[in-house]
Amino acid sequence: MAKLKLGMYWAATCGGCDVSVLDTHERLLKIVEAADIYFWPIAMDFKYKDVEAMEDGFLDVCLFNGAIRNSENEHLAKLLRKKSKVMVAYGACAAFGGIPALANFTTREKILEKAYKTTVSTDNPQGVYPQPSTKMPEGEITIPEFYNHVYKLSDIVPVEYTIPGCPPPADLLMTAVEAIVTGKLPPAGSTIAGEKTLCDECPLEKSEKPVINDIKRPFQVIPDGKKCLLEQGLICMGPATRSGCGAACIKVNMPCRGCFGPAKDIKDQGAKMLSALASIVKFDDEQKADQIINSMVDATGTLYRFGGANAILSPRRTEGEKP
Amino acid sequence: MEKIGVFVCHCGLNIAGTVDVKKVAEAISGYRDVAHAEEYKYMCSDPGQNLVIKAIKEKGLTGLVVAACSPTLHETTFRKAAQRAGLNPYKVEIANIREQCSWVHDDKALATSKAIKIVRTMVEKVRGDSPLETIKVDVTKKALVIGGGISGIQAALDIANSGYPVILVERQPSIGGHMAQLSETFPTLDCSQCILTPKMVDVSKHPNITLHTYSEVEDVSGYVGNFKVRIKKKAAYVDRDKCTGCGLCSEKCPSKNNSSEFERGMAFRKAIYTPFPQAVPNKPVIDRENCTYFQTGKCGVCAKVCTVGAINYEQQDEMIEEQVGSIVIATGYEVHPVSKFAEYGYGTIPDVIDGLQFERMLSASGPTEGEVKRPSDGKTPKEVVFIQCAGSRDPEKYFPYCSKICCMYTAKHAKLYKHKVHDGQPYVFYIDIRAGGKKYEEFVQQAIEEEKVVYLRGKVSRIYRDGDKVMVCGEDTLLGKKVEIAADLVVLASAITAQTDSRELAQKLKAAVDEFGFFSEAHPKLRPVESNTGGFFLAGAAQAPKDIPEAVAQASATAAKVTALFSGKYLEHEPIVATVVEDLCSGCRICVPACPYGAREYDKEKKVARVNEVLCEGCGACVSACASGATQQNNFSDQQFYEMISTALEESNV
Amino acid sequence: MFEPKMICFYCKWCTYTGADLAGTSRMKYLPNGVVLKSMCSSRIDPQHILEAFKKGADGVLIGGCHYGDCHYVTGNQLTHNRVAMLQKILPDFGIDPHRLRIEWISAAEGAKLVKVINTFTEDLRAMGPRRSK
């Protein structure tokens, strides 16, 4: 059998997804045995023109990680889509917007102002902002355009599979590679992870009737390692988050942050987590829900930590609508 | 594909006057999956219903929307019509274009446009509706009544008289409850024992009643119609089948200094005892803690004197298992003990007693044989102070609620005291007199006017002992004066509280209690005798403080509920219940506290949360709580809501 | 004049019946809302509310039973919790939380229903179209 042609690209991302490939350790040899890598900018020297030169559909699989935050990300997403038979949204950013999509809760202007004007270390007396195009005596130079909104990959191009996670665990990558190699692919549109939510994999004990009284941040409490973190007052996104990671964070006493996105039939992970929280707040007290939500530092960011490009409502904050 | 029929009713001019019904029918005829649309003058008339039946049969309709008046009026009509034509009744929805459209709007164009939206929305609902069948459950036609006071007795008798078997469980050695302790009852002053004992005997003789006294409910599993109950029959060390109730054992028992619960500590009883002479069953039990034989291994007098050999020191607690279909909770109340009141001496002043103790004192069969004698020295008290609201209506220190019966029984006490001690002077400290009830106000007025009971409006701040007197300091707020009375006896109308272990029982039963431990009714107005949990009914003071007539009325009401439950071949239940896709459920249990009916439970084996369809009332609270999407509600699915929402927001300009 | 679009989620037992009462009493109110009925307001999922805004609703009204009167005992308390919490995060989606309103309207309060619908419609008119559709 001919070796698979593999591409991997990073758009708006931290690089953790690329590194996650190395988490496969010695199993990496299996991947290399089954596939040749034709494009992987973080690991090897490739030029965009190498991709442009490929025939359409040349790559068997493209693992695309990172959100779409600027015109370069979009260009590459479209280009790689054309060149790939199977497009995989690899990691939380490509799948749901991820951490970069937290920017959707503010505006482009505010981000630029912060980055180029107001941080302590900024020295920009003329208030120059980077421009997509600058005319110079030598000619026009361009940089990618910084969008007002961060998109998930499937907002831009059709995507066959999603492998969620921040980053995806090596086991899931191996499952996917195995499926590709053996041709036993699930139906297009599938997410390669669990069907249930994280509580299914969670080793902690839950009470018969979970109830919470107040919210704590992870640094305020040393979890006892036995009881459900939510019941200990920590916002654990487990009930609203797809399983498949093996409860990695829980096992080191950290609450789930939701990087696997919503469960199969759920449209909005944040809204669902909010509804779940609201349902276990002691509810004989009308003030309690307000107290809980007010005690959450950045409630929206917590509930939509990875889902900023995957919510029912586009989270873009629009100036003019009263806060 | 669905084939949906839409029928638009004119309702004479009620709808057609404001809504252009023809336009509605036209607009909907091209809409998704609508296979038939027409309008008619009166859809609910026979010809109207026949149009529906004909269309279902001829066009093979799979769903029906009737755009007409509110579903509360004719939903059932059209569901039945559909059923006659072979269409599942749950595939029928009403678009309310009268009460919520034509009658509330004037502008014909706007009303028509809105009517179209409403009809489209309901078409979307029907498209997503599943054909459903009523849930049917078998019923075990046997009831359990917990508590053998007057409420439990009445409930048991009424159910048994309707022909159903009843198991009555009482934890004391005898049934009768608090009512058996009372002397006379307000407002008629008939003797409590005289009206109660015949009922107690009826219970013991009734062929449909199985009585388990000195027994407690250990646990309950199952659900409405099908409960499995374990009852612990505590060891009495007396073989009740052999015992003839002759009483010789009690007479000869040398351990005689045991405080009598029935006499509320005002007399002693033996270690082998029946709580009172009219006890049912009239057979003794041995109080192991105070029995010389059990404590030292020596004695055994009772065994020696028993002529039938009924004493059995080896007897063990016995577990009884029963299947029942319904459970009446009639566990009654307690009286807040005098020892808990700091301002009244924490029970250290012997001549400060509570109302129930005073009842025993007034009772002809009581420790003083009906004579009023104060506990400290047995003298007849000449000045008696009655203090109402001792612990009641006192949110800061005790209980915020009104104990309801104290105003009346205090008036009764004062009267009965005067009847026995003619030259005595009763005083009553009160906050308000609450004498709502037939002949109640007259009863209190008579005490004030004819019996010259002195009513002082105000609270007592302190009680202390001075020589052989009990000094009562308070304020008469009507005169704005401080009052100090040197009393011979003080009687506290102590707060009525829930049984101290009512919360434990509630947990066993999975029935809810309120913050004070009283059992919660399903609805404060419309379902006052039902518990939230299906199959449980509440009788008497277990639910809230109440007097005898109220307790009896409520007990009879529970009996009506129980017999209604038992009347059909099956229990029928609306099928719009929550459902769980087990493959998606991760067992997070967030649905469990969302359910007020205990219908959501965690299955430890499968590690998923389940829905008990019989207990589910179909509110959908757990569906919204479920963050995994595993829980949905029949015919109220998320998908249906999404479709309805976007349809409702589509333009429909006419 | 700007005519807002509203989704009105009513519980079957109180608010829906209250709306029926307004009808039988021939009270008049503005026709901007379309009613979606559920058995209890607690069936209303925050996702439904967000979906309504996504599909262009200018306002969402939730009507339930008064505290202590809920047909399902505690359902409306759950709804209150969910709505109160959702209102806190709505601004992050560019939506004025006043566009989401929760009202306890009993089956006897037809007049209250009329007042709520009319004032809510007027308020939404004053707010104008949503900027973030």
Side-chain angles (χ1 to χ4, degrees), chain B residues 70 103 105 624 638 649, chain C residues 5 20 28-29 42-43 48:
Chain B
S70 169
W103 276 353
H105 304 313
S624 310
D638 282 335
L649 291 165
Chain C
K5 288 198 259 182
D20 276 355
K28 304 292 173 206
Y29 56 84
S42 63
R43 176 64 191 94
H48 302 163

Side-chain angles (χ1 to χ4, degrees), chain C residues 61-76:
Chain C
L61 172 69
I62 294 172
C65 311
H66 285 270
Y67 256 49
D69 283 351
C70 178
H71 188 84
Y72 301 100
V73 196
T74 48
N76 55 355

Side-chain angles (χ1 to χ4, degrees), chain C residues 38 83 126:
Chain C
S38 56
V83 170

Side-chain angles (χ1 to χ4, degrees), chain A residues 79-159:
Chain A
L79 183 63
L80 284 164
R81 171 70 273 189
K82 217 160 71 174
K83 305 296 177 189
S84 313
K85 292 193 187 78
V86 171
M87 192 69 156
V88 178
Y90 186 77
C93 299
F96 324 114
I99 299 291
L102 280 171
N104 286 349
F105 295 107
T106 179
T107 57
R108 181 179 183 270
E109 288 67 36
K110 280 187 183 160
I111 294 169
L112 291 177
E113 188 180 286
K114 183 91 177 175
Y116 292 96
K117 278 188 182 167
T118 60
T119 54
V120 196
S121 57
T122 302
D123 181 23
N124 183 4
Q126 286 155 302
V128 178
Y129 280 169
Q131 299 298 318
S133 151
T134 313
K135 293 253 189 321
M136 302 290 283
E138 296 82 1
E140 186 189 4
I141 55 169
T142 60
I143 56 165
E145 186 195 344
F146 185 81
Y147 291 160
N148 190 29
H149 189 77
V150 178
Y151 302 90
K152 60 182 186 283
L153 182 60
S154 64
D155 290 339
I156 306 297
V157 295
V159 168

Side-chain angles (χ1 to χ4, degrees), chain B residues 557-574:
Chain B
T558 60
K561 288 281 172 193
V562 170
T563 50
L565 196 73
F566 291 172
S567 62
K569 196 166 178 222
Y570 303 101
L571 287 183
E572 294 212 29
H573 197 71
E574 274 284 302

Side-chain angles (χ1 to χ4, degrees), chain B residues 11 29 54 57 138 152 165 202 242 255 289 301 306 323 351 371 375 403 443 462 495 524 528 537 548 574 587 590 627:
Chain B
C11 195
S29 60
K54 194 169 144 240
K57 285 185 178 159
D138 288 325
D202 283 353
K242 288 186 186 163
S255 168
E289 302 299 304
V301 167
C306 181
Q323 304 266 358
D351 293 329
E371 279 187 54
S403 292
F443 184 81
R462 189 173 159 227
F537 301 100
I548 294 167
E574 274 284 302
I590 284 174

Side-chain angles (χ1 to χ4, degrees), chain A:
Chain A
M1 198 183 116
K3 282 177 95 171
L4 288 169
K5 301 186 186 72
L6 199 65
M8 182 146 188
Y9 183 67
W10 58 341
T13 178
C14 64
C17 284
D18 291 282
V19 177
S20 79
V21 177
L22 305 180
D23 291 343
T24 54
H25 301 301
E26 69 281 1
R27 287 180 292 178
L28 185 61
L29 299 173
K30 252 191 180 170
I31 302 178
V32 178
E33 202 176 282
D36 284 328
I37 297 167
Y38 280 80
F39 184 58
W40 191 5
I42 197 176
M44 290 171 265
D45 187 14
F46 294 97
K47 302 297 179 209
Y48 290 165
K49 67 177 188 316
D50 299 333
V51 184
E52 281 156 12
M54 294 173 186
E55 277 173 40
D56 287 0
F58 174 79
L59 294 172
D60 289 301
V61 179
C62 177
L63 298 179
F64 192 103
N65 73 77
I68 310 299
R69 140 53 82 225
N70 62 30
S71 55
E72 184 195 24
N73 301 152
E74 181 176 1
H75 173 70
L76 260 290
K78 285 179 173 162
L79 183 63
L80 284 164
R81 171 70 273 189
K82 217 160 71 174
K83 305 296 177 189
S84 313
K85 292 193 187 78
V86 171
M87 192 69 156
V88 178
Y90 186 77
C93 299
F96 324 114
I99 299 291
L102 280 171
N104 286 349
F105 295 107
T106 179
T107 57
R108 181 179 183 270
E109 288 67 36
K110 280 187 183 160
I111 294 169
L112 291 177
E113 188 180 286
K114 183 91 177 175
Y116 292 96
K117 278 188 182 167
T118 60
T119 54
V120 196
S121 57
T122 302
D123 181 23
N124 183 4
Q126 286 155 302
V128 178
Y129 280 169
Q131 299 298 318
S133 151
T134 313
K135 293 253 189 321
M136 302 290 283
E138 296 82 1
E140 186 189 4
I141 55 169
T142 60
I143 56 165
E145 186 195 344
F146 185 81
Y147 291 160
N148 190 29
H149 189 77
V150 178
Y151 302 90
K152 60 182 186 283
L153 182 60
S154 64
D155 290 339
I156 306 297
V157 295
V159 168
E160 274 83 15
Y161 300 107
T162 299
I163 305 181
C166 181
D171 285 349
L172 282 190
L173 176 59
M174 289 314 292
T175 309
V177 169
E178 196 94 348
I180 296 165
V181 171
T182 55
K184 284 178 190 157
L185 282 163
S190 298
T191 295
I192 299 169
E195 293 257 282
K196 299 190 174 193
T197 54
L198 188 69
C199 301
D200 183 49
E201 299 179 327
C202 176
L204 302 182
E205 287 164 19
K206 293 156 198 75
S207 4
E208 286 297 309
K209 274 193 180 189
V211 173
I212 51 170
N213 274 315
D214 56 348
I215 296 293
K216 296 189 189 78
R217 301 182 72 190
F219 71 85
Q220 292 171 312
V221 59
I222 298 172
D224 65 9
K226 289 196 189 102
K227 214 168 102 190
C228 169
L229 294 174
L230 205 49
E231 290 178 52
Q232 295 188 57
L234 292 168
I235 299 292
C236 175
M237 291 286 287
T241 301
R242 197 187 268 268
S243 61
C245 63
C249 296
I250 311 284
K251 284 177 182 162
V252 293
N253 250 348
M254 285 301 285
C256 170
R257 303 186 307 157
C259 71
F260 264 55
K264 194 173 132 227
D265 291 340
I266 295 298
K267 280 194 180 214
D268 193 304
Q269 185 186 15
K272 261 301 173 185
M273 188 62 214
L274 177 142
S275 192
L277 270 179
S279 310
I280 53 172
V281 171
K282 262 192 83 156
F283 49 70
D284 44 5
D285 181 356
E286 263 192 87
Q287 308 306 319
K288 199 75 196 179
D290 294 335
Q291 269 174 36
I292 294 273
I293 194 94
N294 287 333
S295 65
M296 277 171 78
V297 177
D298 187 9
T300 314
T302 308
L303 296 167
Y304 292 91
R305 193 190 301 264
F306 295 94
N310 198 39
I312 289 178
L313 280 176
S314 165
R316 185 182 345 197
R317 186 184 205 118
T318 313
E319 299 298 326
E321 186 91 8
K322 265 193 300 177

Side-chain angles (χ1 to χ4, degrees), chain B residues 349 351-352 463-465 468-472 485-488 490:
Chain B
I349 309 168
D351 293 329
V352 178
I463 293 177
Y464 62 95
R465 214 172 174 189
D468 70 340
K469 292 281 183 186
V470 183
M471 301 304 292
V472 179
I485 299 168
D488 299 309
V490 173

